[in-house]
Amino acid sequence: QEQLVESGGGLVQAGGSLRLSCAASGRTFNNYPMGWFRQAPGKEREFVAAISWSGDRTLYTDSVKGRFTISRGNAKNTVYLQMNSLKPEDTAVYYCNGGTYLSDSHYYPGARSWGQGTQVTVSS
């Protein structure tokens, strides 16, 4: 059995910050990377950030570099997304994912591992 639970979303003004959390359970996630995706209305789900199992490697989409930071908790199946300097275009439902592989340029998500999502709304 596997489970992904996101939390931390909400409403924030432009320039503000939020910290998203994802708690995963189940052996599916052992020794695998984890990542965050987001989906805005009318758009496809977009990759945001990923982190290796050990936490020694991270990957970000260009639009969030320098603003977002992905990290793992002491429990490797816990992942956070610190979002600073938020912009209205960051508004989306954010999903965490247990992946299969993380290269130096691409994150390969796990098809069976998606959370329910948490809404992030950034106002002007």
Side-chain angles (χ1 to χ4, degrees), residues 2-26:
E2 63 184 38
Q3 185 177 10
L4 292 158
V5 180
E6 298 102 333
S7 62
L11 174 64
V12 65
Q13 292 184 335
S17 298
L18 286 172
R19 190 191 192 204
L20 306 184
S21 299
C22 177
S25 62

Side-chain angles (χ1 to χ4, degrees), residues 16-109:
S17 298
L18 286 172
R19 190 191 192 204
L20 306 184
S21 299
C22 177
S25 62
R27 295 194 301 272
T28 299
F29 307 103
N30 290 350
N31 295 313
Y32 286 102
M34 295 186 69
W36 288 94
F37 286 71
R38 65 187 181 187
Q39 187 167 24
K43 296 185 177 180
E44 295 296 318
R45 188 171 295 182
E46 174 193 23
F47 170 75
V48 177
I51 187 167
S52 63
W53 177 84
S54 66
D56 63 338
R57 291 183 293 115
T58 58
L59 182 67
Y60 299 92
T61 191
D62 286 344
S63 64
V64 308
K65 287 182 178 178
R67 300 189 297 119
F68 291 10
T69 303
I70 188 171
S71 62
R72 284 189 179 271
N74 291 332
K76 298 301 182 183
N77 57 357
T78 302
V79 66
Y80 304 97
L81 186 67
Q82 178 67 46
M83 306 186 296
N84 298 327
S85 301
L86 283 162
K87 305 175 181 179
E89 51 262 43
D90 294 318
T91 295
V93 177
Y94 284 70
Y95 301 88
C96 67
N97 167 259
T100 60
Y101 184 71
L102 177 64
S103 73
D104 59 357
S105 62
H106 191 73
Y107 172 71
Y108 297 84

